[in-house]
Amino acid sequence: MTPIEHGSRTQVPVDQISSGAHFLLGDFQTRSGPEGRTEFRHIATQALNDQGVDAVANIELLFDPSYQSLHLHTLAVVRDGKRIDKLHRATIRVLQREKELEYRIYDGRKSAHIVLDDIRTGDIVEYAYSVNGANPVFGTREFGTQSLQWAVPVERLYVRLLLPIDRDTRITVRNSTRQPLVRITATHREYVWDESPLAPLALERDAPGWFDPYPALEWSEFVDWNAVARWAVPLYRPPAQLGPSLRAKVLSIETSARSQAGKVLAALRLVQGDVRYLGVEIGSGSFVPSQPDRVYDRRFGDCKDKTLLLLSLLHHMGIDAQAALVNTVRTRGVSDLAPNPAAFNHVLVHVKVDGRSYWLDPTRAPQQGALNAVYQPDFGLALLVSDTTRELLPMRHDPSEAIKRRIDARFDARDGFDQPAQLTITTTSEGREAEEARNLLATTSPETLQKQYLNYYARYYPRIQVTRGMAVSDDVEHNRLTVTEYYAIPDFWPLVEGGSRREASFHSPEMMDVLRLPSSTVRHSPVALAQPMDVTLVTEALLPEAWPIRPETTRIEDAHFTLERQVTGSDRQLLLTDHFRSHFDHVKMDAIPSYVANLERARNALGYRLFHYLNQPSASLAERFNWMIALLATMLTGALIWLARRLYRYDPPPSDFAPIPALTGIRGWLLLPALSLILLPFRLLLEFLPNISVYSVPTWVRLTHPGEGTYDPLWAPALLFDLLATLSLGMLALLTLVLFIKRRSSTPRFFIALTAGLVISQSIGQALVMALPLAGEAAETARNPTELVQSVLSLAIWGTYFVRSRWVKSTFTRTWHKRPSEPEPFTAPSGTAQERSAS
């Protein structure tokens, strides 16, 4: 192997390092040839602090002893420029390490665990080793991948690949425009990638599994996916004969199940229920399934074993099915990889029954109900194990197979404001949600589960108590599970504001979980979303007394989801219906800001509160009067009066048009604008007064404070704009009326400005109101453009009239300041002319 020196930098990128250890060198060299496969690794790491010392002083080298051998070449510590050999002094133990034991998988790999002594901050630990051998299940075909960028900074990354020159190996570089240097010798092709230094590329934890922006070098002798499928065909070929136990099971299924769907379902439940999940994936066993008879006799197996067992049962019942290789993490991102068997980490069964495709996972817990009701996983793309397979097959399902959940929360507060409210939560799950809930109930004690549920709701109602144990109803046939919980909430109507009122809060915890914000908004990856998802939350409150509930509908539309909230009520009942449905499985990076903004809007729309004021008849005025709005209106009125006085003195010169005495005076067509100016202030007042109650303290708080039941961020600007427009237009109408009566030259301009102001205020007001969550008659009124159209027509008609009318030009000629008269032409007296004539 080519010796490589580690990189160095005068300034360590401390702000990019989180583990306390800085990688100076990552040297990865792979050689393939007739003598076998050798993977050489050379690592140099510097400890920057105590945490880094722990990281570099413990080294773990993994290998599979069934087909690999490990050779340690170098182990040294560099301190203050001096190299200290540790190869013969270090403690090395070979341990059986089953890192996937928690998933019930035994892979047989071992690790050489090296513990170094006397490691200090600033030391550089350098080691090199090689692993020889390749899994025999792949025969002589070579494939592999090597990352070309890490999640942490590295001073130098060196990747070298040596492949036999007589082999047809496809080389691919993903996510990078820089290609490796290529050198051809008599026996090998050499590919080298040498980067120094290399910046980190860290992804957020909620990135989609298929999103992989890391540059990587890939090589494979599998020319396409068909080659991979043909490689797997012998592995998943059902045996010609089954043993006595399985033959008896096949006969039993064929006797009891008459339809093809029934036989498939019975075979699936047999494999799921009688064979527990346990993987012994040692050596070639990591890719080769065990024989069906052996799997059934020992009653355990991994995904490969259980898939071949199910395929064998179906095959001997005359039902055609294939194994389907999938990647549960990368999902559809598997298509970005070079074709090779290691691109997959799971295997399913694909079968067609009555013209419909089913993707069956024999490793799941026993699935109940009819075949068309069982949950089918969707991992994006699958490779059918068949000689005829050419491409990856999309695992598309019916949109009706969404993740469905309905929660009914019933608050019974009819006993009174000082009594506990009885809360009943009924959660109905379907499909995958039902199966996961069923498995949770089977693996967790009712007491533990009830405690978890109680703590979940205690985040919102701290004094909540369990009144009865939860009840479970399982509709197996339709794969629907219902769990009902019973609670009591003491002090549901707590006293607030010094005891002047009681308030009850209705939270939506389940929907808030669905609308969870991304881990970060400034990021390097898209945001993964659950898709398809359909969640409904119905909150019913039975109230102590009749309550005026205003019907409202809030709809938050985003490209990725829709949330609709409906608020209705009748007599002593409040009903909140929230419906969420997702549209995509991820959010692109450029769409994240708008997505987060709509999430915030949706989350703000969920809260709801009811207020009950005490001693309302005697203290209602003091409690409800909004001094802040009143002060704002007073200041605004004063400013408008000051401005009107200034505008009153506006004194443009009259038109050059010579007045016509017969067309002078406020009569004829001018009586119509005069009448409208007289009526306009009263009209504005009559329109504003019915809604003045929204400016009272309780209503203002309910509409404009986040967390309130009817809060919307547009309520405050809409209400303040309505107040500003009413006062401004009213003051302008009064000013114009005075100028009109005085027949001032500025009247036409003010009248046109007033008419234009009506159009502008109505346009802005209608836009704001249409964006608000209104329902029923209020929504219809807000969306009715009749009044705005009338104002536009009025502006067009009267604007033209006041600009071109001779009557207007003859009438409005007076000015604020008296203008000096122009001198008349000189005319000689008649007597003087006679005298001149006589003389």
Side-chain angles (χ1 to χ4, degrees), residues 545-664:
E545 60 184 37
W547 218 284
I549 304 296
R550 187 179 67 176
E552 297 175 3
T553 298
T554 303
R555 187 176 179 88
I556 310 297
E557 290 277 4
D558 187 83
H560 308 87
F561 73 91
T562 298
L563 174 74
E564 183 174 290
R565 156 164 282 206
Q566 291 183 341
V567 180
T568 57
S570 60
D571 195 20
R572 297 171 62 185
Q573 182 200 46
L574 165 69
L575 196 65
L576 311 174
T577 304
D578 302 314
H579 182 213
F580 171 91
R581 186 167 182 84
S582 64
H583 304 316
F584 290 99
D585 65 353
H586 73 285
V587 183
K588 294 181 180 179
M589 285 181 280
D590 59 353
I592 289 175
S594 62
Y595 168 73
V596 171
N598 285 327
L599 271 184
E600 293 282 12
R601 288 181 59 208
R603 291 167 65 88
N604 290 335
L606 291 178
Y608 200 91
R609 292 183 185 179
L610 292 177
F611 302 100
H612 176 71
Y613 287 87
L614 306 179
N615 303 321
Q616 198 167 4
S618 60
S620 61
L621 180 61
E623 290 176 354
R624 298 176 65 84
F625 191 78
N626 196 329
W627 290 101
M628 179 187 71
I629 298 298
L631 179 61
L632 178 63
T634 302
M635 294 174 62
L636 182 59
T637 302
L640 290 172
I641 292 174
W642 174 84
L643 181 61
R645 292 183 64 186
R646 297 292 300 270
L647 293 175
Y648 180 78
R649 300 176 184 178
Y650 176 56
D651 206 23
S655 171
D656 293 338
F657 179 80
I660 302 174
L663 300 180
T664 302

Side-chain angles (χ1 to χ4, degrees), residues 206 237 248 444 594:
D206 52 358
R237 182 177 292 124
T444 310
S594 62

Side-chain angles (χ1 to χ4, degrees), residues 497-568:
E497 293 189 358
S500 62
R501 72 176 186 182
R502 293 184 182 272
E503 71 176 35
S505 300
F506 299 91
H507 301 287
S508 308
E510 297 87 355
M511 200 61 73
M512 291 292 280
D513 286 347
V514 172
L515 296 168
R516 186 178 295 110
L517 294 169
S519 59
S520 60
T521 54
V522 180
R523 47 194 297 135
H524 302 92
S525 65
V527 177
L529 303 177
Q531 162 69 13
M533 176 175 282
D534 190 319
V535 179
T536 301
L537 171 62
V538 178
T539 304
E540 179 189 22
L542 303 179
L543 305 173
E545 60 184 37
W547 218 284
I549 304 296
R550 187 179 67 176
E552 297 175 3
T553 298
T554 303
R555 187 176 179 88
I556 310 297
E557 290 277 4
D558 187 83
H560 308 87
F561 73 91
T562 298
L563 174 74
E564 183 174 290
R565 156 164 282 206
Q566 291 183 341
V567 180
T568 57

Side-chain angles (χ1 to χ4, degrees), residues 112 129 172 198 226 247 286 362 383 439 457 517 522 763 778 786 822:
Y129 67 98
T172 306
L198 200 60
N226 174 256
R247 285 203 305 269
S286 56
L383 181 70
N439 295 338
Y457 290 108
L517 294 169
V522 180
S763 301
T786 303
E822 295 183 5

Side-chain angles (χ1 to χ4, degrees), residues 81-330:
K82 296 181 180 179
R83 189 179 184 86
I84 306 171
D85 185 23
K86 293 279 188 175
L87 184 60
H88 304 291
R89 297 171 49 192
T91 303
I92 304 176
R93 295 185 177 88
V94 178
L95 306 174
Q96 187 80 29
R97 297 301 301 273
E98 299 293 350
K99 291 194 171 184
E100 295 186 277
L101 190 59
E102 60 180 304
Y103 302 108
R104 291 176 287 181
I105 296 177
Y106 298 85
D107 60 16
R109 289 192 299 171
K110 293 186 177 181
S111 67
H113 194 77
I114 304 172
V115 179
L116 299 175
D117 58 0
D118 190 22
I119 302 299
R120 309 172 190 177
T121 299
D123 285 355
I124 298 174
V125 173
E126 185 176 357
Y127 60 93
Y129 67 98
S130 59
V131 177
N132 300 322
N135 196 325
V137 72
F138 305 120
T140 60
R141 279 177 286 194
E142 176 70 32
F143 66 88
T145 182
Q146 180 58 57
S147 176
L148 299 174
Q149 190 172 10
W150 300 356
V152 295
V154 58
E155 288 304 310
R156 185 178 185 185
L157 180 63
Y158 183 85
V159 175
R160 180 170 177 251
L161 175 64
L162 284 169
L163 298 174
I165 198 170
D166 58 348
R167 304 283 286 275
D168 184 15
T169 307
R170 297 178 60 187
I171 303 295
T172 306
V173 178
R174 287 191 292 109
N175 301 322
S176 177
T177 57
R178 179 170 180 182
Q179 300 297 313
L181 300 175
V182 181
R183 188 171 68 93
I184 300 177
T185 66
T187 59
H188 286 81
R189 285 188 180 89
E190 180 186 48
Y191 303 86
V192 174
W193 181 295
D194 193 356
E195 285 283 345
S196 177
L198 200 60
L201 177 58
L203 296 185
E204 294 76 15
R205 64 178 182 272
D206 52 358
W210 50 261
F211 181 75
D212 181 9
Y214 289 97
L217 178 65
E218 293 183 319
W219 62 96
S220 178
E221 292 183 10
F222 290 86
V223 295
D224 53 23
W225 293 114
N226 174 256
V228 179
R230 286 187 286 108
W231 163 83
V233 165
L235 305 180
Y236 293 96
R237 182 177 292 124
Q241 298 293 330
L242 297 177
S245 299
L246 288 181
R247 285 203 305 269
K249 289 296 181 182
V250 169
L251 180 61
S252 174
I253 292 173
E254 290 185 316
T255 302
S256 59
R258 297 182 179 180
S259 67
Q260 195 176 45
K263 294 176 183 179
V264 171
L265 193 57
L268 175 65
R269 289 175 180 164
L270 171 69
V271 178
Q272 290 177 334
D274 289 6
V275 180
R276 74 182 189 276
Y277 183 81
L278 179 65
V280 182
E281 303 180 351
I282 299 175
S284 60
S286 56
F287 289 90
V288 180
S290 302
Q291 286 303 300
D293 287 309
R294 184 186 178 201
V295 173
Y296 189 71
D297 288 342
R298 70 189 185 188
R299 292 297 200 275
F300 71 79
D302 60 12
C303 62
K304 303 182 301 298
D305 303 332
K306 300 184 76 167
T307 290
L308 182 56
L309 174 57
L310 179 56
L311 289 173
S312 300
L313 292 173
L314 297 176
H315 173 77
H316 284 274
M317 288 188 289
I319 300 174
D320 186 32
Q322 300 87 31
L325 302 175
V326 298
N327 192 308
T328 60
V329 178
R330 281 187 173 271

